[in-house]
Amino acid sequence: AVSASLTYLVLRRIMRSGGRAEQVVWVYSATSLFALTVALPWTHGDFVVDAPLSGWLALISVGACSVLSQQLVTLGFGAVGAGMGTLLLTTELGYALAFGILLLGDELKWQSVMGSICISSAIAARAWEQMQLEQAPAK
């Protein structure tokens, strides 16, 4: 969470200084690569090098798709403020939870339900606040 917050601050600063979306995506990707590299001492025993070519191609394809999706998300979030953008990003957790339960057969735990309630409440409160601001008469 701290890494994501710092990355988001750096990305906002780049965009304010006239940076392009491509720069933002590559900074985000570079930050992720740095974090993964730092984590290598704890994960190197689980790293598989002798995977079949099809496995490596699938892994590279997932990486390419994630960079492309980040590019599109960055371009899309350029139209909303930081608060709304952050709340929209949190909906990703809901999609992941639903995907895990419906398609992967994950077990639903009470912690997941409570987290979903908290996230949904925050999104609903922010949306309600935004609607109130839009309906308020101009001063």
Side-chain angles (χ1 to χ4, degrees):
V2 172
S3 174
S5 299
L6 292 174
T7 301
Y8 193 67
L9 288 172
V10 169
L11 298 179
R12 295 286 291 179
R13 192 165 287 230
I14 289 171
M15 289 303 287
R16 283 189 184 145
S17 65
R20 295 182 7 216
E22 293 83 8
Q23 291 170 313
V24 172
V25 171
W26 289 109
V27 166
Y28 185 83
S29 299
T31 304
S32 299
L33 180 61
F34 174 75
L36 291 172
T37 303
V38 168
L40 271 177
W42 294 278
T43 62
H44 76 281
D46 298 328
F47 191 75
V48 178
V49 179
D50 60 345
L53 179 61
S54 61
W56 281 103
L57 291 176
L59 186 61
I60 291 169
S61 298
V62 167
C65 287
S66 68
V67 170
L68 177 62
S69 69
Q70 185 62 46
Q71 174 86 30
L72 296 173
V73 164
T74 302
L75 290 171
F77 283 154
V80 297
M84 186 57 74
T86 301
L87 287 175
L88 289 171
L89 280 174
T90 60
T91 61
E92 241 178 88
L93 299 171
Y95 298 136
L97 177 67
F99 181 84
I101 292 169
L102 298 175
L103 299 176
L104 301 178
D106 289 349
E107 180 182 329
L108 183 61
K109 298 181 180 177
W110 71 269
Q111 296 96 330
S112 300
V113 172
M114 292 304 294
S116 298
I117 290 171
C118 290
I119 290 169
S120 300
S121 299
I123 291 170
R126 177 67 176 126
W128 183 80
E129 180 182 293
Q130 190 67 32
M131 287 188 309
Q132 296 301 318
L133 289 173
E134 290 173 1
Q135 292 176 357
K139 293 181 181 181

